[in-house]
Amino acid sequence: MLRMLRKIARTGVVTEAPPDSPGPVLESVGERLCATLVRRFAGCLAIRQVDAGSCNGCELEIQALNNPFYAIERFGVHFVASPRHADLLLVTGPVSRHMEAALRATYEAMPEPRLVIAVGDCGADGGEFGVSYASCGAVANVLPVDGVIRGCPPDPMQLTLGLLEVLRKATRGQA
Amino acid sequence: MSAGAPPGAVPASSDAFAWLADFLDTCRRENLLVEEIAAGGLAPARLVRLDPEDWGAFARVAAGAGLRWCAVWGEHRDARIEISACLEHGGGYLLARTAVLVRTPVLPSHTPHYPAADRPERHLQDLLGVAFSDHPDTRRWVRHQAWSEQEFPLRTDFPLYGHPSDETPPDADYPFLRAHGTGVHEIPVGPVHAGIIEPGHFRFQAVGEAVLNLEERLGYTHKGIEKLAEGRDAQGLARLAARVSGDSTVAHAWAACMAMERAAGCEVPARALAVRAILAERERIANHLGDVGAICNDVGFAFAWYQFSRLRELWQRDNARVFGHRLLRGAVVPGGTAADVCAREAAELARGAVGLGDELDQLVPILEENASLQDRLVGTGVLAAGPAVHLGVLGCVARAGGIDRDVRRDTPYAPYDRLTVRVPVCTEGDVAARVRVRLEEIRVALELQGWLLDALPGGPVCRPWGVAPEGAEGLGIVEGWRGETLAYVRFGARGAVRRYYPRDPSRLNWPALEVLIGGNIVPDFPVCNKSVNGSYSGHDL
């Protein structure tokens, strides 16, 4: 136990923007995200993530949003287990035909108003897999999509920025 | 990092086929028509041709002789469907090949002798329309409702787009096994799971909290990878291979490129091979770090999850700085690598390795001494050596259950042929053993990376890619972080790929989860599942 406490103390808080990262630093993006959430979502955004057929690369980077460097929960963003609790559906693709019905059912289970973001190049346009006997391609071919975060896969910073952008666009004009 | 012994010369695997002559004699004594033919680009594997009616008996003799079953795939060629099965013994890979007519595509099954062949044969049945006459389970596997029972996507007359309906219905009537009796209840889970993970369906039959039976239903992420490969050029196939399973992008790209390079007779520069191995070891480390953290998290030990996800993040940032991609995607290309390591970057990677080693020195004892963590991991999800061998289980799952096997050591490919690869093995076969093996494999990978960085050969990292001869075929086999990762490639006209089959280790490891969960409680399923961590995408293709 002592050893563990010592390790925790020695590690300190790593949650911060990497100082040498190009472009906007995570903290300021996060603060803007947080402000948007406070204004539009009572400070809290619940995300249901669905892998609709991805190679699992996008999942690895979405999981990384919860590691102590990005710690996206501090901005009010939570990943939830049930679509019933979700404001936003984060879908990685391409949408395989075998996942089509499950994806639709997940979307239908969400309360309105609901947002959908397609993640990754495959979610955006089918990517390397396109449309075939097995794949519906882009998420937009199956569900109405409010925004797209491209990348193969997008890294956690791109995901955070993309999320902010979509939320701002989707809620523009609302009080 | 390179403080250990310098890379020693590993004995050449010249005796990898010492058993083959005896084995073929045994086949002939059993009146099987077996003929060894030139392996061409399939070398160092050896190739035998069989009559289709002898296919099942061959598997019986092979199982009796202790050969391990690895893979089966097929290809529609004019009026015939050619079937190839890959087996291994003593480090030597043997390909058995036969053909059936498209009009009468019936073949005896390997499954009665090799349970590992069960789902791979059903995969072939669904995609190529081969009926395995004495297969114990004729249910569909990779096919859900996206194409009909009479359609076979890998036949040449099936168009890539297929004949989809406007909306694909759910696969609602799959005949799961049923359990009956007082107190038995059924828990269906998925395909959409609670966490940020891939989709698949699990059907539990439980009595109280104890799992009586688990049946997996996979195929949800089937994206038609084998069909999509047809007609691609070498670079296009490497891009596709890098997306078979996102967490194994190096392993699959390397296996596919190795297959193409062997087919085309392309000699890869020594420096590129060293860089590939560095990439593969870095992929192994990243995945083991992530999984060890996630396993601890699944039993509520958040400390380890935060620490290990922190280490994984640092590791991935080094990947991005040096190789331009956090998951190392796009680095392995036909003829070599797209990425190189300069002296400054080599020093940076070496520093990162020292840092990680120090962190592990602090963290591993904490994990080992934490009674409440060990209480949840020791004795949980036991896969005994018997069933592990029976199912042909691979990678760290096999090594945690006493199976001492690693392609890097047993069938060494460059640059591992000049390195000493330590292979950590445990015998308990439980989740705790899988964690121990993974942690030790990180150490070995750090050691290997150190040696590789210290002795990086000079020269280019890529050779220009030519056009592979029509009909040329190759087999690539590497040890990915999940285990033996195999790729078969055959070229058609003008250097275009005619057939690509990637065999992810998950294909053989998924059935092990059904076995090792037996008798455990339902709430321990997540930790058991994570300790194996099969790839859905790599399995479903």
Side-chain angles (χ1 to χ4, degrees):
Chain A
M1 192 67 199
L2 264 182
R3 231 202 270 244
M4 199 157 98
L5 292 173
R6 206 177 304 134
K7 180 65 188 167
I8 290 170
R10 212 185 298 166
T11 304
V13 178
V14 297
T15 312
E16 60 180 9
D20 55 346
S21 75
V25 287
L26 181 66
E27 287 272 287
S28 71
V29 174
E31 275 162 23
R32 280 184 282 149
L33 179 60
C34 200
T36 308
L37 291 186
V38 168
R39 272 203 315 280
R40 317 285 194 201
F41 290 88
C44 174
L45 180 79
I47 299 180
R48 173 63 253 205
Q49 194 270 340
V50 173
D51 174 342
S54 93
C55 73
N56 78 30
C58 286
E59 279 57 42
L60 291 172
E61 292 297 61
I62 296 172
Q63 283 166 7
L65 287 172
N66 284 323
N67 80 30
F69 283 91
Y70 303 102
I72 198 166
E73 285 212 3
R74 72 193 146 130
F75 303 127
V77 177
H78 304 270
F79 287 90
V80 294
S82 169
R84 301 264 185 227
H85 305 155
D87 307 301
L88 188 149
L89 194 61
L90 199 61
V91 189
T92 61
V95 182
S96 71
R97 296 198 186 273
H98 291 171
M99 272 304 286
E100 192 184 340
L103 178 62
R104 286 183 203 277
T106 306
Y107 176 75
E108 291 306 329
M110 292 171 71
E112 292 187 66
R114 56 198 165 191
L115 294 168
V116 177
I117 296 183
V119 173
D121 288 347
C122 298
D125 62 15
E128 203 61 43
F129 302 99
V131 177
S132 73
Y133 79 94
S135 163
C136 306
V139 177
N141 293 343
V142 178
L143 294 181
V145 164
D146 298 281
V148 169
I149 305 174
R150 296 196 70 107
C152 188
D155 65 31
M157 186 60 140
Q158 290 168 313
L159 285 165
T160 312
L161 268 174
L163 196 57
L164 173 66
E165 216 168 280
V166 173
L167 291 179
R168 286 189 156 176
K169 196 180 77 186
T171 58
R172 194 165 293 149
Q174 292 174 20
Chain B
M1 209 46 244
S2 53
V10 174
S13 57
S14 56
D15 59 348
F17 287 100
W19 50 273
L20 186 59
D22 277 352
F23 170 67
L24 293 179
D25 279 349
T26 312
C27 288
R28 288 178 191 122
R29 272 200 303 278
E30 299 266 345
N31 294 321
L32 307 183
L33 284 173
V34 187
E35 182 197 359
E36 180 164 13
I37 52 178
L42 297 169
R46 307 267 290 259
L47 177 63
V48 293
R49 182 162 278 289
L50 286 163
D51 265 10
E53 52 268 33
D54 289 342
W55 191 249
F58 173 79
R60 176 173 50 76
V61 177
L67 274 69
R68 177 173 65 90
W69 194 94
C70 309
V72 68
W73 63 89
E75 183 184 344
H76 181 189
R77 297 176 72 171
D78 303 319
R80 305 177 335 144
I81 295 172
E82 195 165 75
I83 313 287
S84 305
C86 181
L87 300 106
E88 182 268 349
H89 190 58
Y93 286 86
L94 178 67
L95 238 66
R97 189 166 275 176
T98 192
V100 291
L101 292 173
V102 174
R103 276 185 292 112
T104 51
V106 183
L107 196 63
S109 168
H110 281 183
T111 306
H113 316 289
Y114 285 111
D118 181 330
R119 289 168 182 176
E121 285 185 341
R122 287 160 70 195
H123 179 88
L124 211 56
Q125 154 203 292
D126 290 353
L127 291 176
L128 261 174
V130 178
F132 290 92
S133 49
D134 52 347
H135 196 295
D137 186 350
T138 54
R139 291 176 298 170
R140 62 182 186 271
W141 180 243
V142 73
R143 180 171 67 82
H144 291 197
Q145 302 292 331
W147 66 94
S148 78
E149 199 176 351
Q150 287 78 39
E151 293 179 299
F152 307 107
L154 286 182
R155 296 262 181 103
T156 50
D157 52 358
F158 185 94
L160 174 62
Y161 190 70
H163 314 98
S165 52
D166 288 345
E167 281 189 26
T168 315
D171 193 29
D173 60 347
Y174 182 76
F176 286 98
L177 296 175
R178 307 307 288 253
H180 303 279
T182 323
V184 179
H185 60 282
E186 203 172 72
I187 312 170
V189 180
V192 178
H193 296 157
I196 304 167
I197 50 170
E198 297 182 79
H201 183 91
F202 300 107
R203 189 65 64 99
F204 295 92
Q205 274 108 20
V207 178
E209 286 208 311
V211 178
L212 207 58
N213 184 56
L214 163 66
E215 189 175 1
E216 296 158 358
R217 175 79 181 117
L218 302 176
Y220 287 93
T221 70
H222 177 69
K223 307 183 263 290
I225 285 175
E226 292 166 88
K227 188 79 176 177
L228 278 171
E230 294 174 7
R232 286 191 172 225
D233 61 12
Q235 288 76 15
L237 186 74
R239 278 200 310 279
L240 186 65
R243 287 158 180 83
V244 167
S245 181
D247 51 21
S248 304
T249 184
V250 175
H252 277 289
W254 191 352
C257 286
M258 186 190 279
M260 291 194 284
E261 287 149 4
R262 284 174 174 171
C266 167
E267 199 159 311
V268 182
R271 187 177 179 87
L273 292 168
V275 172
R276 282 182 182 180
I278 291 170
L279 294 165
E281 297 312 318
R282 295 191 66 83
E283 180 168 272
R284 192 180 326 277
I285 290 170
N287 281 293
H288 284 338
L289 286 174
D291 279 1
V292 169
I295 289 166
C296 293
N297 194 48
D298 277 341
V299 293
F301 191 44
F303 164 81
W305 187 76
Y306 283 113
Q307 292 289 346
F308 279 87
S309 64
R310 178 177 65 84
L311 297 179
R312 182 187 156 99
E313 175 68 23
L314 290 171
W315 198 251
Q316 280 190 280
R317 287 180 180 189
D318 280 353
N319 283 348
R321 262 197 300 279
V322 174
F323 299 103
H325 197 283
R326 284 163 57 89
L327 300 178
L328 305 171
R329 188 166 272 168
V332 178
V333 295
T337 59
D340 199 354
V341 182
C342 69
R344 182 186 50 79
E345 291 164 335
E348 196 178 328
L349 293 179
R351 262 198 312 278
V354 172
L356 178 56
D358 290 345
E359 296 266 8
L360 291 175
D361 287 344
Q362 296 167 25
L363 286 170
V364 172
I366 295 177
L367 264 55
E368 282 169 353
E369 288 165 16
N370 191 295
S372 50
L373 174 70
Q374 294 302 324
D375 180 52
R376 294 294 306 278
L377 304 186
V378 173
T380 303
V382 175
L383 182 71
V389 171
H390 201 56
L391 294 170
V393 168
L394 297 168
C396 55
V397 182
R399 290 189 284 270
I403 300 177
D404 186 6
R405 184 183 301 127
D406 189 310
V407 184
R408 293 172 297 174
R409 183 199 59 195
D410 304 335
T411 316
Y413 47 101
Y416 296 106
D417 52 354
R418 56 183 183 83
L419 299 171
T420 307
V421 182
R422 275 196 300 125
V423 180
V425 176
C426 287
T427 50
E428 297 85 346
D430 55 2
V431 175
R434 290 191 277 280
V435 169
R436 270 206 311 284
V437 166
R438 281 161 176 269
L439 287 169
E440 201 46 40
E441 286 184 10
I442 295 176
R443 300 284 195 181
V444 175
L446 286 172
E447 205 170 271
L448 290 168
Q449 179 185 277
W451 290 339
L452 289 159
L453 286 170
D454 275 354
L456 262 183
V461 288
C462 202
R463 192 141 290 167
W465 183 259
V467 172
E470 182 168 359
E473 54 183 350
L475 191 63
I477 303 173
V478 303
E479 183 78 20
W481 73 271
R482 274 199 184 86
E484 174 197 76
T485 305
L486 182 151
Y488 169 80
V489 175
R490 196 174 75 85
F491 285 100
R494 291 176 297 281
V497 171
R498 178 65 204 96
R499 182 76 173 100
Y500 167 54
Y501 177 70
R503 206 296 324 276
D504 191 272
S506 309
R507 188 163 277 284
L508 301 189
N509 281 1
W510 271 116
L513 182 62
E514 292 183 342
V515 174
L516 65 86
I517 192 65
N520 286 260
I521 55 173
V522 177
D524 273 348
F525 176 71
V527 70
C528 289
N529 188 13
K530 196 70 204 179
S531 71
V532 176
N533 193 3
S535 167
Y536 300 70
S537 181
H539 168 279
D540 297 346
L541 299 182

